[in-house]
Amino acid sequence: MIHTKTPRCFVGWTGKSPHPPMLPAGRTPVWSAPSPLWTVGDWRPDEARAVAEGSRKAVFLGTCLATDDELRRALRTATVETMLDSFQRLPGSYAVVVQYGQDIHVLTDRAGLHPVYHTQLAEGTVFGSDALILAALRHRNLGEAVNSGTLAAGLFVPDLTESLNSNMFRGVARAGPGNVLTLFPSGHTRVTALAIRAAFADAEEACSLLRSALLTAVDRRVSAASKLSTDLSGGLDSSTLAVLSAQAGGTPVAVTYTDPYAGNDEDLHFARAIAATEPRLDHIVVTGNQTTLPFTAFNSTPMTDDPTLDAVIYARTSHRLAPALAHKSSCHLTGDGGDVVLTAPGMIYLGDLARAGSGAKLRHESTGWARLRHHSARTVRRTATTLANTSWNETLQLLTSQLTASHVPFPPRRGPAGHLAWAMLSPAASWGTLRSRQELAERLRVVGAPYPNGIRPDSADAVALRAIHWHGAATRSFTKVTRSLGITVQAPYFDGQVVDACLAATAASRTTVDHAKPLLAAAVGDRMPPTLIARRTKGDYTACEYHGLRTNARQLNALLDNSMLADLDVINPDQARGALGRSLAGAAAPLGALSAVVAAEAWLHNLDTLDPAGWWEPRIQEEGTR
């Protein structure tokens, strides 16, 4: 077993006793009893900002960019009915713990970077921002506490894991994005949803909201950072942040990663052109090599409380962010989240256009996508119309019937049907055991409740929101990995104000085949180099993944030979191994599914060696009465 330090997180308690029977090691008090709250590990002062007004007090944990006056005003003017929502409308990305009377309210963020977990202990509830540390209260062997059904859901229907309200560890519950966990002195808890919006805004208003939110997100980070770095991939999202950070007065190290195994070097061309227009950017190009290929060093990934796809690219991440570490950057900006908040996924919005009877726009958009994807325009329109007439219950029925079939069909790779569905199975579902698939199918049968705030689950807006939550969780794990490398990564596109601004416009109004990200162009295009806003292409790193599979074939086969997912009866490793073998022989591979399985296996193996014995310690009477 490997002894590790207590995970960095915040931990709180509420219950009939003013003190919990166990205390987290490495703690720093934020509030004292009753209902004490601690940070654990290395927290900067600006990452845990406490404010009090009379009997009310709150602490903002994460990256809250509000001024001290804005925090005090929010606490002073909030009522019981409005405070929970208004606290998450301040700039930044953070969780909030609020004490109002005797009750404790813990607010998560909109995107999913700051969930909160809770578990019963004695006559009270322990809550915190890390699932591992709470699981360690109940289980000495964390590997034995894993919920195999949650692993299966993450592999087979990744976009629906949030809808399934899955908990990774038995006995540890989770409040996901956009939720409020309320804890009562009796030890009881309640989870409710935060409002997203009252109604959709028009395009002009959404554009204005996004401009204000994005400029605030960048400007205040630049002002707060002692030293700044940023990704400059050459794509729209990170390049926009790099340019805005320079225009805000920063002199960031701007990092471009290029890989000789990639299919093209267009990203590098655009990055260099952008850097040439902004002399305040200190542009550094990092070149990968065989040791930084995907699937290299996957077993060296730092421990996170969920499986992370960053295990697959850990070697690349370490290499890519080396200039930020050498610069001693206190904030590294990444464009993560831009793809999912600024537009709807793929062609899914065509279903909304068909349902709304927007015939002319549907024809225009369908024809454009048909040209791009080499489909028949008529087939695209027909598929969109079929999607519009497919209810959420019918979608779930299809998924459950596929999961319970003796042979699970791979999702179609060609044709519009592979891009137009409210939800789809991952190719990994075809590797699942019958038991794991049947159990997941049972859970899917009860996910038919309508979404809060009137968003129907069979719509592009709901698909976009599910994508935001999935990618938000992935970015949360990424920031945990990079923090272990000594780098604080921040993703402004996942700030609450930015997410709200983007979701103020319908998915169909912020997505078009004519422009890559029209909402971003309308909001800040006047501040960007014209060549950046006009870009329609993206870099393709698929070839790197195939090279990585071949280079690391021995280690990957050994991982599947000793499959812990198989031990949990989640997958049949022979089928996953077969897909790997076919990819090594030159056939097309479901790279996303293979990556997810490798990430889950690596996580389980790391978890199996983890010893949490030193994470908690009994409360000493004298400490509890200070």
Side-chain angles (χ1 to χ4, degrees):
M1 301 290 281
I2 298 175
H3 294 270
T4 61
K5 62 182 180 180
T6 313
R8 179 186 181 276
C9 60
F10 66 81
V11 175
W13 158 266
T14 186
K16 294 181 179 179
S17 167
H19 310 281
M22 302 291 288
L23 300 172
R27 63 194 173 277
T28 299
V30 179
W31 295 339
S32 57
S35 302
L37 179 71
W38 305 273
T39 55
V40 178
D42 182 21
W43 288 70
R44 298 191 312 231
D46 63 328
E47 293 175 322
R49 301 176 59 195
V51 59
E53 287 283 339
S55 61
R56 308 178 183 184
K57 56 184 179 181
V59 60
F60 296 76
L61 297 136
T63 305
C64 181
L65 303 172
T67 65
D68 291 341
D69 286 342
E70 287 171 336
L71 292 183
R72 283 192 291 269
R73 184 165 56 250
L75 186 62
R76 184 171 58 249
T77 60
T79 66
V80 176
E81 292 77 19
T82 65
M83 68 169 178
L84 302 182
D85 185 53
S86 62
F87 285 153
Q88 274 297 7
R89 295 197 181 277
L90 297 169
S93 174
Y94 50 85
V96 191
V97 182
V98 185
Q99 184 165 4
Y100 198 86
Q102 291 186 311
D103 300 337
I104 300 293
H105 308 276
V106 190
L107 289 70
T108 67
D109 68 311
R110 306 285 188 187
L113 275 72
H114 303 279
V116 63
Y117 304 88
H118 53 105
T119 188
Q120 297 298 306
L121 182 70
E123 292 185 293
T125 303
V126 179
F127 64 90
S129 57
D130 185 271
L132 281 172
I133 191 171
L134 297 193
L137 268 176
R138 307 177 66 94
H139 310 275
R140 175 63 186 272
N141 187 327
L142 294 177
E144 294 178 354
V146 170
N147 185 335
S148 62
T150 299
L151 281 174
L155 292 172
F156 303 163
V157 285
D159 290 348
L160 298 185
T161 50
E162 197 59 53
S163 304
L164 290 165
N165 194 26
S166 300
N167 303 314
M168 186 58 72
F169 298 99
R170 292 192 298 274
V172 178
R174 176 177 177 271
N179 281 326
V180 183
L181 169 66
T182 300
L183 304 108
F184 302 100
S186 63
H188 293 101
T189 60
R190 181 184 68 214
V191 176
T192 53
L194 287 166
I196 295 178
R197 60 182 175 289
F200 286 112
D202 60 30
E204 184 176 349
E205 182 182 356
C207 168
S208 176
L209 290 170
L210 178 58
R211 183 182 181 91
S212 174
L214 200 54
L215 292 180
T216 298
V218 175
D219 289 357
R220 295 195 182 185
R221 283 179 169 90
V222 170
S223 297
S226 57
K227 289 189 176 181
L228 183 72
S229 58
T230 180
D231 287 343
L232 177 59
S233 70
L236 278 170
D237 304 332
S238 67
S239 300
T240 294
L241 298 179
V243 170
L244 291 179
S245 67
Q247 292 176 351
T251 54
V253 165
V255 182
T256 301
Y257 179 81
T258 183
D259 198 313
Y261 294 94
N264 62 67
D265 61 355
E266 195 175 41
D267 280 350
L268 180 58
H269 167 77
F270 275 94
R272 282 177 168 155
I274 293 161
T277 69
E278 288 293 341
R280 298 181 69 89
L281 293 175
D282 180 8
H283 190 210
I284 296 177
V285 178
V286 177
T287 303
N289 53 50
Q290 190 168 3
T291 67
T292 63
L293 284 169
F295 303 101
T296 302
F298 57 80
N299 54 358
S300 300
T301 310
M303 196 68 218
T304 55
D305 53 3
D306 281 305
T308 172
L309 286 172
D310 288 290
V312 172
I313 56 171
Y314 179 62
R316 175 195 293 175
T317 298
S318 304
H319 185 59
R320 177 172 67 86
L321 293 179
L325 185 62
H327 184 58
K328 298 182 180 179
S329 173
S330 62
C331 172
H332 182 86
L333 300 179
T334 177
D336 287 21
D339 281 339
V340 289
V341 302
L342 293 168
T343 62
M347 301 190 295
I348 197 72
Y349 71 101
L350 298 181
D352 282 8
L353 293 179
R355 181 181 286 153
S358 305
K361 187 173 182 182
L362 176 62
R363 283 192 294 274
H364 172 77
E365 298 290 328
S366 298
T367 300
W369 281 110
R371 289 184 184 134
L372 281 176
R373 300 285 175 86
H374 306 290
H375 302 322
S376 157
R378 186 177 182 182
T379 302
V380 173
R381 287 196 302 274
R382 281 181 175 175
T383 308
T385 302
T386 300
L387 178 64
N389 293 322
T390 303
S391 70
W392 185 238
N393 283 338
E394 289 170 332
T395 298
L396 294 179
Q397 288 169 9
L398 176 61
L399 294 179
T400 56
S401 66
Q402 290 174 335
L403 284 168
T404 54
S406 58
H407 174 71
V408 180
F410 262 34
R413 294 180 184 172
R414 297 180 179 177
H419 306 279
L420 286 167
W422 302 129
M424 295 182 67
L425 296 183
S426 162
S430 65
W431 309 331
T433 64
L434 182 59
R435 182 202 63 81
S436 65
R437 290 188 279 113
Q438 288 176 334
E439 287 187 358
L440 179 56
E442 284 300 315
R443 295 175 65 195
L444 284 176
R445 290 190 176 100
V446 296
V447 186
Y451 261 39
N453 305 293
I455 301 176
R456 55 187 297 173
D458 51 345
S459 68
D461 295 297
V463 173
L465 190 57
R466 292 194 287 269
I468 288 171
H469 292 164
W470 188 91
H471 284 274
T475 298
R476 172 179 179 264
S477 294
F478 174 60
T479 60
K480 283 176 172 280
V481 169
T482 58
R483 191 176 284 271
S484 74
L485 296 171
I487 303 165
T488 300
V489 168
Q490 297 189 20
Y493 289 109
F494 278 137
D495 282 8
Q497 286 189 347
V498 176
V499 173
D500 282 348
C502 293
L503 294 183
T506 64
S509 66
R510 66 179 188 271
T511 312
T512 177
V513 72
D514 298 323
H515 305 286
K517 284 162 185 169
L519 191 60
L520 182 66
V524 294
D526 61 319
R527 305 182 66 154
M528 296 297 117
T531 53
L532 174 62
I533 293 299
R535 185 177 181 186
R536 295 292 309 280
T537 58
K538 290 179 72 73
D540 185 0
Y541 292 88
T542 305
C544 302
E545 296 183 72
Y546 280 104
H547 279 292
L549 285 174
R550 287 191 287 272
T551 301
N552 298 285
R554 183 177 59 81
Q555 296 93 322
L556 293 170
N557 275 307
L559 184 72
L560 294 174
D561 285 341
N562 188 29
S563 170
M564 297 190 75
L565 287 171
D567 293 342
L568 293 169
D569 199 24
V570 173
I571 68 165
N572 180 340
D574 291 340
Q575 296 185 18
R577 226 175 358 246
L580 174 60
R582 288 189 292 275
S583 71
L584 297 175
L591 293 172
L594 278 173
S595 297
V597 167
V598 169
E601 292 282 8
W603 183 78
L604 286 169
H605 280 81
N606 284 344
L607 190 67
D608 198 47
T609 64
L610 196 63
D611 185 359
W615 293 0
W616 293 91
E617 53 196 31
R619 181 178 67 87
I620 301 172
Q621 185 66 28
E622 287 75 12
E623 178 179 356
T625 57
R626 278 206 297 265

